[in-house]
């Protein structure tokens, strides 16, 4: 899709992936950043080591998410690199997951899950979950 928008000249790279997760530091990670004009990070931290690799060419670092804790805004600014986050990233997902976790807590789902996994489940294990028909839930924030 990116090539359709930006043309064949764009070079998109994804960081090194190992054991089910992207590397967020180390030599191979830094090598992936070399020559980048723009970088999108999620968990990777912007450190002086990262800046040293980015500085010759990079103009912007985007944080894929709502936080800015790993961007190191002062370090980016001191090196003339713009940094920003996506403040409305996953808002619906967070509120949906919050309600799901409230229901799991209310219904004792974690206790029931543990009993099943331990081979100890029975109809009365974990107590009797309360009825939720007359309950209301609201998410603020």
């Amino acid at each position: 899709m990116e090539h359709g928008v930006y043309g064949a000249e764009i070079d998109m790279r994804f960081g090194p992936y190992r054991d089910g997760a992207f590397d967020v530091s180390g030599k191979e990670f830094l090598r992936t950043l070399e020559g980048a004009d723009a970088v999108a990070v999620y968990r990777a931290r912007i450190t002086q080591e990262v800046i040293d690799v980015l500085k010759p060419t990079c103009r912007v670092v985007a944080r894929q998410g709502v936080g800015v804790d790993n961007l190191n805004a002062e370090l980016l600014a001191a090196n003339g690199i713009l940094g920003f986050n996506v403040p409305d990233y996953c808002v619906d997902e967070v509120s949906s997951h919050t309600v799901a976790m409230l229901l799991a807590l209310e219904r004792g789902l974690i206790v029931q899950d543990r009993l099943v996994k331990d081979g100890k489940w029975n109809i009365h294990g974990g107590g009797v979950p309360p009825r939720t028909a007359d309950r209301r839930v609201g998410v603020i924030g």
Side-chain angles (χ1 to χ4, degrees):
M1 176 171 75
E2 288 80 5
H3 288 286
V5 174
Y6 296 109
E9 301 301 314
I10 189 171
D11 174 23
M12 285 195 58
R13 289 178 248 157
F14 294 90
Y17 192 78
R18 191 180 358 263
D19 299 325
F22 284 100
D23 286 349
V24 296
S25 63
K27 290 179 182 177
E28 196 173 341
F29 167 73
L30 292 171
R31 209 173 7 257
T32 305
L33 300 175
E34 290 175 357
D37 295 311
V39 173
V41 297
Y42 179 55
R43 297 199 187 276
R45 296 194 155 292
I46 302 302
T47 63
Q48 185 62 55
E49 188 177 38
V50 169
I51 291 291
D52 291 343
V53 174
L54 293 179
K55 194 170 179 183
T57 58
C58 188
R59 296 184 316 221
V60 64
V61 174
R63 163 66 161 94
Q64 180 190 340
V66 297
V68 295
D69 54 310
N70 58 330
L71 280 183
N72 199 339
E74 288 180 14
L75 187 58
L76 286 170
N79 287 278
I81 301 173
L82 298 174
F84 67 92
N85 67 341
V86 183
D88 58 354
Y89 179 78
C90 283
V91 172
D92 292 340
E93 291 81 358
V94 169
S95 60
S96 296
H97 191 71
T98 300
V99 172
M101 295 303 287
L102 284 170
L103 283 170
L105 179 64
E106 183 71 10
R107 302 293 294 173
L109 192 62
I110 305 305
V111 172
Q112 299 293 341
D113 179 66
R114 179 53 45 209
L115 289 171
V116 169
K117 288 178 178 173
D118 290 345
K120 298 177 182 176
W121 184 86
N122 71 60
I123 193 75
H124 303 292
V128 178
R131 300 268 180 190
T132 58
D134 61 345
R135 308 270 173 117
R136 293 181 187 185
V137 65
V139 178
I140 301 172

